[in-house]
């Protein structure tokens, strides 16, 4: 998932689920959060805590900066973190995320069965309604997934459904009969999904927005405007109440949500402020409960603030090369640019040591997988490679452009890269910043030389970082193609042997970061944020996903103490 590109199941959990399928016994998946407990603001489904529940504010409103104007609110067309954040509020898939562990928990599906061979999943749907009162049925999922796979929809994440039998062939136009695709409504409350081969992480993947259902009547009636306020119909814990482009999005509690009694928040307000300094001022003014991205030059001071939080994040910051355009159609040029960038110095002095330099692409947090050793900083070898490509000392090398989406941090990193490339290679680089929607369109059209990018894992498996670069993949966006790479990704998806599978993925990553280098890893993300202590039900996790239905706003400690004294004095 692009993080301002930008986000589902731990591999070990997926393997365990597969092991459980041997008995073909019904299961409801990993245990959901604790049973509802009644507190000052009503029932709560947050995981049980040892301490007494906090006193809650009367006004249950959560306000945060979402960092960018969403490209779309259509789950089929979403690709970025800002959009996914909103999708978790407006829609719900067959499974959802546990707020602490992100393991899959029952969503629209109250239980499921998995066949002995790990290929057939049967989901039993609970009684639930769309926000307009229509019942949510298995056919809604058939329609929605077919819509994703339809090439006319333009779903860049359609490949996430290609684990389903014949789904890829349908997208590619090799199969026209959708009844042969492994998606079938057995009855209004039972959905059967047949896979091409056992896929350890498939269950967790179902919480991802691409698998969320959309209301067929709403889409058919309103066309491209179906996601606008007054038109949109969802099945999530919140509904869209207001969308003022470039200003704010307001969502309110969905009274028809099947578990509405356990949703604490009444209102969510998301601001699309891309300027991190402006957003910080709003936080300091008390306007936000959460600021998920911070200006890099302010981090040294913010690190001492009690609201400051740092947590591991399953993401990689990198640069894409347009492999269809000279001079980056030559892998020697791409490697030269990588070797000429001192990532360790960049991370230490520009990013204040809060991020780790990356030579590999897959973040080092998914054992037992380990990335191959990538290229380090070597300006001498960089100059040699550029000369071998026909540009000694940068002579004859045209002025190329590095594009990044609007952000002070992206600008600072780009300026340093520009200077390092000039010093080591003698090349001139133009820097251009673009607003989020323009930036995405530029990337889609391959209208760039070098482009800042980032990828946030969609599930806890190295495959989520590697399968995007297969030939013609919706999120490849480099124009690069390697037959051996494609073969390795395809073979890894089919093998049940974990050791062999990870070995294949490691060879694929070696092609990506050492042999061909269509992308240049820069650093591994950490999640740096400011969060009010009044925000409860919000837990740090590697994917920085925080389902809104578990969040509550507590009274400040002093106010809570005064409330306790007042209540006790009445008895």
């Amino acid at each position: 998932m692009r993080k301002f590109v930008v986000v589902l199941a731990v591999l070990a959990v997926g393997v365990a689920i597969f092991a459980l399928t041997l008995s073909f016994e019904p299961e409801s998946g990993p245990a959901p959060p604790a049973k509802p407990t009644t507190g000052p603001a009503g029932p709560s489904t947050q995981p049980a805590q040892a301490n007494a529940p906090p006193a809650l504010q009367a006004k249950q409103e959560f306000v945060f900066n979402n960092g960018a104007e969403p490209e779309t609110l259509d789950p089929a067309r979403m690709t970025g973190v800002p959009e996914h954040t909103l999708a978790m509020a407006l829609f719900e898939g067959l499974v959802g995320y546990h707020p602490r562990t992100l393991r899959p928990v029952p969503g629209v599906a109250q239980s499921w069965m998995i066949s002995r061979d790990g290929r057939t999943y049967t989901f039993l749907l609970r009684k639930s309604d769309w926000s307009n009162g229509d019942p949510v049925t298995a056919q809604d999922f058939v329609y929605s997934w077919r819509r994703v796979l339809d090439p006319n929809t333009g779903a860049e994440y359609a490949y996430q459904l290609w684990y389903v039998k014949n789904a890829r062939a349908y997208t590619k136009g090799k199969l026209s009969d959708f009844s042969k695709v492994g998606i079938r409504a057995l009855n209004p409350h039972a959905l059967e999904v047949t896979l091409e081969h056992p896929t350890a992480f498939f269950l967790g993947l179902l919480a991802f927005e691409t698998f969320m259902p959309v209301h067929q009547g709403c889409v058919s009636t309103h066309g491209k405007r179906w996601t606008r306020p007054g038109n949109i119909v969802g099945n999530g814990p919140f509904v869209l109440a207001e969308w003022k482009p470039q200003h704010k999005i307001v969502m309110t509690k969905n009274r028809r949500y099947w578990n509405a009694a356990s949703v604490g928040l009444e209102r969510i307000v998301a601001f699309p402020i891309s300027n991190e300094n402006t957003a910080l001022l709003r936080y300091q003014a008390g306007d936000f409960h959460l600021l998920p991205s911070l200006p890099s030059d302010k981090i040294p001071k913010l690190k001492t603030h009690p609201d400051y939080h740092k947590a591991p994040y399953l993401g990689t910051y990198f640069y894409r090369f347009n492999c269809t355009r000279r001079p980056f159609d030559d892998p020697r040029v791409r490697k030269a640019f990588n070797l000429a960038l001192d990532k360790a110095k960049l991370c230490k002095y520009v990013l204040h040591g809060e991020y780790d330099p990356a030579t590999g692409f897959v973040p080092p947090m998914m054992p037992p997988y380990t990335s191959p050793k990538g290229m380090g900083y070597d300006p001498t070898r960089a100059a040699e490679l550029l000369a071998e490509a026909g540009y000694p000392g940068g002579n004859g090398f045209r002025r190329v452009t590095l594009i990044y989406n609007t952000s002070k941090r992206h600008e600072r990193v780009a300026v340093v890269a520009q200077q390092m490339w000039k010093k080591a290679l003698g090349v001139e680089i133009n820097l251009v910043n673009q607003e989020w929607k323009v930036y995405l369109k530029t990337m889609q059209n391959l209208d760039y030389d070098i482009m800042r990018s980032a990828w946030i894992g969609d599930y806890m498996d190295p495959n989520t970082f590697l399968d995007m670069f297969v030939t013609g993949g919706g999120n490849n966006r480099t124009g690069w193609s390697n037959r051996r790479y494609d073969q390795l990704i395809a073979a890894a998806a089919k093998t049940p042997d974990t050791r062999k599978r990870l070995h294949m993925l490691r060879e694929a990553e070696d092609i990506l970061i050492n042999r061909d280098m269509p992308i240049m890893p820069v650093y591994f993300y950490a999640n740096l944020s400011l969060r009010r202590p009044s925000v409860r039900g919000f837990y740090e996790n590697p994917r920085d996903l925080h389902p809104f239905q578990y969040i509550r706003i507590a009274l400040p400690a002093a106010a809570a103490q005064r409330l306790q004294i007042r209540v006790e004095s009445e008895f």
Side-chain angles (χ1 to χ4, degrees):
M1 182 188 299
R2 290 194 298 270
K3 178 183 176 65
F4 304 136
V5 189
V6 86
V7 270
L8 303 178
V10 181
L11 176 60
V13 172
V15 172
I17 290 171
F18 175 68
L20 287 172
T21 66
L22 297 179
S23 63
F24 197 70
E25 293 295 327
E27 63 169 335
S28 59
K35 292 182 179 180
T37 56
T38 302
S44 168
T45 56
Q46 297 183 63
Q49 310 233 353
N51 300 326
L56 302 181
Q57 293 185 20
K59 184 180 181 181
Q60 286 296 299
E61 179 182 65
F62 180 66
V63 185
F64 71 105
N65 183 37
N66 202 29
E69 179 67 20
E71 183 184 21
T72 180
L73 292 182
D74 183 344
R77 293 188 171 98
M78 291 179 177
T79 61
V81 169
E83 292 81 10
H84 178 68
T85 300
L86 302 173
M88 287 195 299
L90 298 172
F91 302 94
E92 183 174 70
L94 294 168
V95 303
Y97 300 110
H98 187 283
R100 285 184 186 271
T101 66
L102 299 186
R103 71 178 184 262
V105 297
V108 176
Q110 61 184 351
S111 64
W112 49 84
M113 297 181 292
I114 309 175
S115 64
R116 290 178 179 275
D117 63 2
R119 293 183 59 234
T120 302
Y121 289 64
T122 304
F123 297 93
L124 304 180
L125 277 55
R126 69 177 77 249
K127 185 181 183 302
S128 63
D129 293 330
W130 292 98
S131 56
N132 69 348
D134 291 344
V136 178
T137 68
Q139 186 58 40
D140 290 322
F141 284 90
V142 175
Y143 163 76
S144 301
W145 294 8
R146 179 174 183 171
R147 181 172 175 265
V148 170
L149 293 171
D150 186 341
N152 293 320
T153 302
E156 295 175 36
Y157 261 120
Y159 68 88
Q160 293 287 34
L161 274 77
W162 289 355
Y163 302 106
V164 176
K165 180 181 177 181
N166 289 329
R168 181 186 183 117
Y170 185 81
T171 302
K172 295 294 185 179
K174 297 178 180 179
L175 175 69
S176 59
D177 184 358
F178 189 77
S179 67
K180 297 186 182 301
V181 177
I183 306 167
R184 190 160 64 107
L186 302 179
N187 61 56
H189 292 95
L191 179 72
E192 181 183 86
V193 181
T194 303
L195 307 184
E196 291 280 5
H197 42 74
T199 304
F201 48 80
F202 182 72
L203 191 63
L205 191 60
L206 295 177
F208 195 62
E209 70 252 27
T210 312
F211 292 84
M212 292 176 178
V214 296
H215 188 278
Q216 183 174 0
C218 176
V219 176
S220 300
T221 300
H222 299 290
K224 293 182 179 180
R225 295 187 59 80
W226 80 266
T227 58
R228 305 306 301 177
N231 296 343
I232 188 170
V233 175
N235 72 323
F238 297 87
V239 294
L240 182 66
E242 182 180 345
W243 183 359
K244 293 184 178 179
Q246 302 299 335
H247 180 49
K248 67 179 179 181
I249 282 180
V250 179
M251 298 174 287
T252 56
K253 184 174 178 177
N254 179 8
R255 305 294 173 183
R256 289 193 168 103
Y257 178 58
W258 68 269
N259 202 20
S262 296
V263 177
L265 294 175
E266 291 290 335
R267 177 179 159 100
I268 300 170
V269 184
F271 285 85
I273 302 173
S274 59
N275 187 303
E276 292 173 336
N277 285 300
T278 300
L280 178 59
L281 290 174
R282 293 287 300 271
Y283 185 90
Q284 292 171 328
D287 294 342
F288 298 153
H289 293 99
L290 173 69
L291 191 61
S293 183
L294 308 176
S296 58
D297 60 325
K298 302 293 194 303
I299 288 175
K301 290 185 177 179
L302 292 174
K303 287 167 67 171
T304 63
H305 195 286
D307 290 3
Y308 179 82
H309 295 270
K310 178 180 179 179
Y313 195 20
L314 189 68
T316 305
Y317 189 110
F318 66 102
Y319 284 141
R320 274 181 164 91
F321 295 113
N322 186 343
C323 299
T324 68
R325 180 185 290 182
R326 296 184 64 186
F328 296 112
D329 57 343
D330 189 330
R332 293 172 297 185
V333 174
R334 304 194 294 262
K335 292 176 184 179
F337 270 65
N338 179 66
L339 290 166
L341 186 66
D342 190 340
K343 302 168 190 176
K345 183 178 290 186
L346 186 152
C347 288
K348 181 176 181 180
Y349 296 107
V350 179
L351 302 174
H352 308 286
E354 294 294 274
Y355 304 96
D356 294 328
T359 56
F361 187 58
V362 177
M365 54 192 302
M366 287 181 283
Y369 181 80
T370 56
S371 293
K373 183 179 180 181
M375 299 180 186
Y377 175 58
D378 189 344
T380 301
R381 180 57 182 152
E384 292 173 352
L385 282 171
L386 196 67
E388 290 175 15
Y391 309 103
N395 292 324
F397 196 91
R398 70 174 177 85
R399 183 183 288 264
V400 298
T401 300
L402 165 59
I403 298 175
Y404 57 91
N405 57 294
T406 304
S407 161
K408 277 294 181 183
R409 188 197 320 157
H410 302 334
E411 179 182 355
R412 289 173 182 272
V413 172
V415 168
V416 170
Q418 178 191 49
Q419 295 169 349
M420 289 183 176
W421 289 330
K422 170 68 173 176
K423 181 179 179 181
L425 303 175
V427 298
E428 299 289 342
I429 308 292
N430 292 329
L431 302 181
V432 174
N433 78 291
Q434 294 180 342
E435 293 302 320
W436 180 242
K437 288 186 177 182
V438 177
Y439 159 86
L440 290 180
K441 184 62 67 177
T442 299
M443 191 187 303
Q444 289 167 358
N445 294 335
L446 277 181
D447 188 18
Y448 70 89
D449 296 315
I450 311 172
M451 199 153 204
R452 187 218 78 90
S453 294
W455 192 255
I456 310 304
D458 298 326
Y459 44 93
M460 292 293 289
D461 187 277
N463 187 72
T464 186
F465 284 85
L466 300 174
D467 71 346
M468 62 189 282
F469 292 109
V470 297
T471 300
N475 285 305
N476 181 313
R477 296 180 171 191
T478 63
W480 174 71
S481 174
N482 182 292
R483 185 175 182 181
R484 175 59 179 164
Y485 186 91
D486 295 348
Q487 290 171 341
L488 287 165
I489 297 300
K494 295 176 183 177
T495 180
D497 186 312
T498 299
R499 185 185 63 81
K500 291 181 179 178
R501 176 175 175 272
L502 295 183
H503 179 78
M504 292 173 185
L505 293 177
R506 194 172 192 273
E507 183 182 342
E509 187 178 6
D510 186 60
I511 294 172
L512 189 72
I513 64 172
N514 286 319
R515 299 187 219 172
D516 282 12
M517 189 158 274
I519 61 165
M520 183 179 74
V522 180
Y523 63 83
F524 294 121
Y525 273 108
N527 183 38
L528 311 179
S529 63
L530 293 177
R531 187 174 76 248
R532 304 284 177 201
S534 60
V535 178
R536 305 301 175 90
F538 187 106
Y539 307 99
E540 303 292 356
N541 58 69
R543 294 185 52 219
D544 195 31
L545 296 179
H546 310 283
F548 292 106
Q549 59 264 45
Y550 301 108
I551 294 177
R552 307 287 191 274
I553 307 300
L555 287 170
Q561 185 177 20
R562 289 196 300 271
L563 176 64
Q564 183 180 13
I565 293 172
R566 185 170 67 249
V567 172
E568 289 177 350
S569 67
E570 293 175 355
F571 292 92

